[in-house]
Every structure is written in structure tokens, then in C-alpha cells.
Amino acid sequence: MSHLDTLSVHAGREDFSRLGVHAPPIDLSTTYPTPDLGIGTASFDALVAGEASAANPIYARLHNPTVARVESAIAQLEGMDACVAYGSGMAALTAVLLDAKSRGNHVLAVRPLYGTADHLLASGLCGLETEFVAADDIAAKLRPDTALVIIETPANPTLQLVDIAAVVAAAGSVPVLVDSSFAPACIQRPAEHGAAYVLHSATKFLSGHGDVIAGVVSCSEARAKPLRTVRAATGALLHPLAAYLLHRGLATLNLRVERAQANAQTIAERLAAHPAVAAVHFPLLHDGAQAAIYRKQMRGPGALLAFELAQGYAGAAAMLAAVRLCTPAVSLGSVDTLIQHPAGLTHRVVSEAARAQHGIGPGLIRLSVGIEHVEDIWADLARALNAAVSAGTAPRALASA
Ligand SMILES: *Cc1c(COP(=O)(O)O)cnc(C)c1O
């Protein structure tokens, strides 16, 4: 069962025939009877130390079998030993940072990053000093107390790609975390390029229907143990009902991504040819070194794209007000098309200087293309683009009057 299409349907369900079930059992227990105190104590010790399971689950903050199923499925998709699931992508990143703090106080990170990830790192909230560097400067900026290197590729919101293998080589013995939320395993498997941690906001493509907030980190079993300990200590749990929905979402992950990225390719090409659009950012349209990274580590462009409106902020605001089929909303990776303004919403918490330096400007729009019929998506966008053009021309005409 090695093909990803098959794994996405069957992983984490290996014991179904033995159990005589056809859907994952949802275990909502918060506590578990411990009639044998010896087994209870040994299980408690094992789970607090970060073991994946024990004879008795003891308490739902230490272990939940429904969550463990989807963790097993995601680890298999990523081609890694283990996966630890959290209540959100940000909780997952926080757990990796808290664990990194035990090794050193310094983190290197490559911008752009998801806005709240940037904010968490820049604020020093986890007690770490984060230095934002260009990917090419990582080797030069390593310090003896560097505990982690963080990259996001494709990056939110500009779709900039980072060469995972090159960063891993530059980081030497320091583990590299790749936030691969924009590119699920059918498109990109960072472990194949040496990533120590693969993080997904499972809120996005993995669950895929806009009804689950979740985060997952895949890694070696040795790295997973302290992450489970952090989860048990901080309580950043994934609820078993959310784990069930996430597991159900995985079954259609590859199909959804295939359709959405085919739609995205058509939309990207049409946007690039549209007079209201000054630039389109989409991995298939990257050139030079970025195109080489695309060919090296991605098996498809994904379903996210960003574009710059010639009419700037006024055009962006008019476009968001004009869409009818596409939903003007943050988040991404859902079955439906979502459109949003990074500078005004998701990347609001990033410093203005960093936004300017990394191309998160007033006319930038991010689009997460869904699985609707591509002509319906395009008709909506084309109409909204016309609204953007009129919004941009009116004030200019007035100003010159
Ligand atoms: C959404 C997102 C996150 C945060 O995930 P949540 O589930 O919203 O906490 C992290 N990284 C990227 C790239 C994201 O898009």
C-alpha cells in the first residue's frame, strides 16, 4: 500500500477488519478506569514521558485513540515515523518552539511566514530570540545556541519557494522545521529533502472543508516524544471530534488537491493576461532560481496564488466587496474558493517594514482556489476585477480634474 492515493484513503484504518468497523471509532472519554494501580502508574509515567501509547490511556490530555489514528495516517503520508496533533497550527508551532527552548535560545527564520507565526516569533512570547534571515544567510548566522531553523514553502502569502535541501545542508546539525501548509504530501514531502519537522495547519488542505481547526507536526519518534510531553503539559489538544473530521478529510485530500490545483493553474494564467492585474505569484509561473526550486521539490503548484492589482488598495477593497461565489475570508485549502487581503488581514500582525520588504503590499490579494467548476470561479473573479478597475479609475479621474 505505497501509493499516496491509496494511503490517504486507508492509512490509520489498518485495524478496521479486526474491529469489525468501517468508520473510525470516536472515543470521547476524558478519563479511563485504572483498577490495576500498577498498570495505571506505569502507563502514566510512559505517557508523561512522551510515549505514543500505553496499556491504559489514563486521561484524555495524555492520550486519545481517535487522535492517535489520524496521527498515524498523517505520519504515513509524510513518510515519517510519528506525528503529533494539536488544537491548531499555532499550537503545533508553539510546542516545537517550547521544546527547542530546552536546546538553546536562538531561532533562525526565513520570511515571509504566515502572519501569526511571524508575530509569535517576533514577539519573543516563547522566550526565544528569533533572527529573520535570507535563506542564503543561514549558515553564516548559526550560533552555538541556535535551536531551530524555520522555513515556510510555498510561503504565505507570496508563494515564495525556499530550497528545503539547501537550508537543511546549511543548518548542519540544527533541525529544520518546514511549514508545508500550502503543499500537502501529494505535492511536497519535506522529509524527503531532510526536514526534521513537517508542520501543517491541518485547518487548511488536510481537513479541507472549513470546519476544523487543527495542527500537526510530523517527525522522528525521538523528536515526537518531547512534543507529546509539551502537549500533555500545556493542554494544546486536538479534540477527538475534530480528529475524526480531519481523518475523514484525508480520504479525499489527493482528489481535492488535484482538482483545485488544475483550477488554480487556469485561473493563474487568466489573471496573468488580465489588464487589471500587475503580477501573479504562482509556483508554475515562477522563473529563474524559483522555477528551479519548484522542479526540485514540488510535484504540482498547489491551489494557492497571489496577485497584485494595478489599482492598489482601492482595487483590492472593491474586488473583495464584489465577489459573490468566492468567499471574502481568511483561511485557505477549503473545497470552496476563498479570497483575502494579506496586508489588511492575515499579515496585519507583521511589522510594516517586513511587509514592505517581502512584497505584502496594499494591492496584493491571496486566492485559495476551490474545487468548484473553473468557469464559475473565473466568471466571479472577472466581474470582481472589473469592479476593481472602476474603483481605481474614479479617484484618479477626480484627482486630475
Ligand atoms: C493558517 C496557517 C498557520 C496557522 O494555523 P492555524 O491552524 O490557523 O493555527 C500556520 N502556517 C500557515 C502557512 C498557515 O497558512
Side-chain angles (χ1 to χ4, degrees):
M1 202 170 75
S2 56
H3 293 92
L4 283 180
D5 293 321
T6 307
L7 271 180
S8 85
V9 176
H10 288 277
R13 299 161 192 259
E14 294 81 0
D15 58 351
F16 278 15
S17 60
R18 182 174 59 76
L19 294 175
V21 300
H22 192 64
I26 302 173
D27 186 334
L28 294 174
S29 298
T30 54
T31 190
Y32 296 85
T34 46
D36 184 318
L37 186 56
I39 291 177
T41 303
S43 296
F44 186 91
D45 286 350
L47 293 171
V48 168
E51 292 296 335
S53 64
N56 188 318
I58 305 292
Y59 187 58
R61 185 155 39 66
L62 301 176
H63 183 81
N64 177 276
T66 309
V67 174
R69 274 183 184 287
V70 76
E71 288 175 334
S72 156
I74 291 169
Q76 291 178 56
L77 288 175
E78 294 295 344
M80 299 188 94
D81 296 344
C83 169
V84 187
Y86 296 86
S88 70
M90 289 315 302
L93 179 59
T94 300
V96 177
L97 291 175
L98 290 175
D99 173 48
K101 181 107 174 64
S102 67
R103 296 190 301 272
N105 281 319
H106 183 238
V107 170
L108 290 174
V110 177
R111 277 173 164 154
L113 295 169
Y114 174 66
T116 305
D118 189 299
H119 181 59
L120 178 66
L121 293 167
S123 67
L125 210 56
C126 290
L128 291 154
E129 177 199 339
T130 299
E131 209 175 326
F132 293 100
V133 292
D136 292 343
D137 289 341
I138 286 170
K141 296 285 186 176
L142 285 175
R143 299 192 330 210
D145 64 339
T146 306
L148 187 68
V149 172
I150 299 178
I151 60 173
E152 194 175 291
T153 184
N156 190 346
T158 59
L159 284 299
Q160 170 185 275
L161 304 184
V162 183
D163 184 332
I164 300 168
V167 167
V168 168
S173 60
V174 177
V176 174
L177 178 145
V178 177
D179 184 332
S180 195
S181 299
F182 274 33
C186 49
I187 293 181
Q188 172 173 284
R189 297 214 297 172
E192 291 171 356
H193 309 284
Y197 299 100
V198 180
L199 184 142
H200 282 272
S201 167
T203 310
K204 316 293 169 54
F205 287 99
L206 304 193
S207 57
H209 295 73
D211 53 8
V212 173
I213 295 235
V216 293
V217 185
S218 299
C219 55
S220 67
E221 178 55 25
R223 293 194 198 281
K225 281 188 172 65
L227 295 183
R228 294 189 195 105
T229 299
V230 170
R231 180 176 62 185
T234 61
L237 306 177
L238 182 61
H239 191 275
L241 289 174
Y244 174 88
L245 288 171
L246 172 56
H247 202 171
R248 185 164 74 170
L250 288 184
T252 54
L253 174 64
N254 295 3
L255 271 181
R256 286 186 281 109
V257 169
E258 223 171 87
R259 170 64 174 267
Q261 81 176 352
N263 285 350
Q265 189 172 340
T266 303
I267 300 287
E269 286 159 5
R270 292 186 189 178
L271 285 170
H274 197 284
V277 176
V280 178
H281 308 291
F282 184 60
L284 267 187
L285 301 181
H286 287 342
D287 51 21
Q290 287 281 297
I293 300 173
Y294 172 74
R295 288 191 299 273
K296 189 172 165 190
Q297 67 191 31
M298 297 182 76
R299 280 178 285 266
L304 264 296
L305 56 88
F307 55 97
E308 282 157 39
L309 287 169
Q311 311 291 3
Y313 183 85
M319 187 168 185
L320 293 180
V323 288
R324 292 292 173 267
L325 178 73
C326 306
T327 302
V330 302
S331 201
L332 58 102
S334 186
V335 284
D336 57 320
T337 300
L338 299 173
I339 185 167
Q340 71 106 8
H341 187 258
L345 297 167
T346 50
H347 291 69
R348 194 86 204 132
V349 285
V350 177
S351 77
E352 210 169 326
R355 282 206 304 264
Q357 191 189 341
H358 295 282
I360 308 169
L364 187 77
I365 297 247
R366 191 190 73 192
L367 186 71
S368 173
V369 180
I371 64 170
E372 302 97 333
H373 196 289
V374 68
E375 295 303 339
D376 292 329
I377 301 170
W378 178 248
D380 194 42
L381 291 175
R383 215 173 26 73
L385 283 167
N386 288 339
V389 172
S390 340
T393 47
R396 259 221 297 258
L398 286 176
S400 64

